[in-house]
């Protein structure tokens, strides 16, 4: 039986942060497929396309808050408000350390909130730990259950 790769939707507009996240996910030693989009509108288009054609929804979304076109808060609210998408775990990975952002995203049902480290090595470490946690420790529903 073929095991399909774990699919991660990376929603990040900063090319440097996106590259670091991709590299760190690649280093997780798991069979991952990373789909990358650079704004909130593209993220929602991708998710609606996948849910509309019976495609594979991502197993995890890494979501920046400060995005062009549609910010991460709007994306979070739309995803968690859509019964077809609401079970996708969403990790907020952002530079904002504002208490109001942290509180607001948890109220909108984010699964966790992580502040991006400034240091490149720490960023890679954080993303690797996200991958390790969500794909080796946490039990997620299979795509057939979603």
């Amino acid at each position: 039986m073929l095991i399909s790769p774990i699919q991660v939707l990376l929603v990040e507009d900063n090319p440097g942060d996106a590259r670091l996240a991709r590299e760190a996910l690649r280093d997780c030693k798991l069979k991952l497929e990373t789909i990358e989009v650079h704004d909130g509108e593209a993220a929602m288009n991708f998710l609606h396309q996948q849910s509309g054609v019976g495609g594979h929804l991502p197993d995890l979304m890494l979501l920046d808050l400060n995005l062009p076109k549609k910010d991460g808060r709007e994306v979070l609210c739309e995803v968690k408000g859509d019964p077809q998408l609401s079970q996708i775990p969403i990790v907020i990975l952002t530079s904002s350390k504002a208490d109001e952002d942290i509180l607001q995203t948890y109220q909108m049902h984010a699964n966790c909130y992580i502040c991006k480290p400034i240091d490149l090595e720490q960023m890679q470490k954080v993303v690797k730990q996200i991958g390790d946690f969500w794909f080796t420790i946490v039990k997620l529903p299979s795509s057939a259950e979603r």
Side-chain angles (χ1 to χ4, degrees), residues 81-96:
D82 184 327
Q84 291 184 309
L85 305 175
S86 64
Q87 291 182 25
I88 299 169
I90 299 180
V91 174
I92 303 299
L93 185 60
T94 187
S95 56
S96 173

Side-chain angles (χ1 to χ4, degrees), residues 50-140:
Q50 291 300 102
S51 68
V53 296
H56 180 75
L57 289 171
D59 298 294
L60 181 72
M61 183 188 307
L62 298 179
L63 179 63
D64 188 16
L65 287 184
N66 302 310
L67 297 167
K69 297 186 183 179
K70 183 178 286 201
D71 80 0
R73 295 159 197 82
E74 293 173 284
V75 172
L76 175 62
C77 192
E78 281 187 49
V79 170
K80 292 303 183 177
D82 184 327
Q84 291 184 309
L85 305 175
S86 64
Q87 291 182 25
I88 299 169
I90 299 180
V91 174
I92 303 299
L93 185 60
T94 187
S95 56
S96 173
K97 295 179 180 176
D99 287 338
E100 67 184 45
D101 284 337
I102 297 167
L103 178 61
Q104 182 183 41
T105 56
Y106 277 118
Q107 287 173 337
M108 293 189 292
H109 306 289
N111 295 89
C112 69
Y113 191 103
I114 298 172
C115 296
K116 290 180 196 171
I118 311 170
D119 177 85
L120 303 179
E121 188 176 312
Q122 286 297 315
M123 175 70 163
Q124 287 179 312
K125 186 177 179 180
V126 164
V127 173
K128 183 182 180 319
Q129 289 173 337
I130 291 169
D132 290 345
F133 176 76
W134 283 101
F135 303 123
T136 60
I137 297 172
V138 172
K139 177 72 176 144
L140 297 171

